[in-house]
């Protein structure tokens, strides 16, 4: 791979590029190895049933949810509500940016 920007981080927001959930946002829960991560969105894909995804099928955002990252590092768990909130806050930001652009 290239530089550090492609390195996935726990709590990072990603957009799914391939598969059934194409176009949806999710949060990285853990890094399996250099190719795979576990993701969940707290809604369709709960914390207890994360999806294993190839990094090539994900678009990594610069945004990292500090609530999700700190919760996972402290307790090893995160609530589905926090996952939904992290995804929703990015969606709200994107919608706000589109409205300002018009």
């Amino acid at each position: 791979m290239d530089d550090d920007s492609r390195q996935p981080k726990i709590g990072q927001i990603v957009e799914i590029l391939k598969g059934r959930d194409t176009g949806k946002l999710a949060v990285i829960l853990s890094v399996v190895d250099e190719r795979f991560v576990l993701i969940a969105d707290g809604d369709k894909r709960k914390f207890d049933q994360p999806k294993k995804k190839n990094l090539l099928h994900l678009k990594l955002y610069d945004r990292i949810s500090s609530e999700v990252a700190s919760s996972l590092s402290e307790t090893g768990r995160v609530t589905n509500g926090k996952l939904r909130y992290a995804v929703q806050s990015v969606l709200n930001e994107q919608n706000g940016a589109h409205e300002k652009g018009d």
Side-chain angles (χ1 to χ4, degrees):
M1 309 233 71
D2 46 85
D3 61 353
D4 194 46
S5 67
R6 289 296 304 167
Q7 287 302 314
K9 311 239 182 342
I10 290 176
Q12 190 167 12
I13 307 294
V14 296
E15 181 179 340
I16 300 166
L17 301 176
K18 293 259 193 273
R20 181 183 304 169
D21 297 326
T22 299
K24 296 223 167 71
L25 296 181
V27 184
I28 294 178
L29 297 181
S30 78
V31 180
V32 178
D33 56 29
E34 68 275 353
R35 286 187 53 213
F36 291 97
V37 293
L38 295 178
I39 61 169
D41 64 5
D43 184 22
K44 296 267 183 290
R45 192 48 81 174
K46 305 280 196 232
F47 170 78
D48 294 330
Q49 302 273 300
K51 177 79 178 146
K52 184 177 179 184
K53 287 295 277 188
N54 189 324
L55 282 170
L56 297 175
H57 298 168
L58 298 174
K59 174 182 172 192
L60 299 178
Y61 281 41
D62 290 337
R63 180 84 178 271
I64 293 179
S65 168
S66 55
E67 291 101 358
V68 172
S70 64
S71 179
L72 280 168
S73 68
E74 287 166 21
T75 65
R77 294 186 58 80
V78 66
T79 63
N80 290 312
K82 278 187 186 165
L83 294 174
R84 285 192 301 271
Y85 177 78
V87 168
Q88 194 58 49
S89 62
V90 172
L91 288 173
N92 292 343
E93 246 175 50
Q94 288 177 343
N95 291 342
H98 288 305
E99 288 167 16
K100 287 182 188 139
D102 293 341

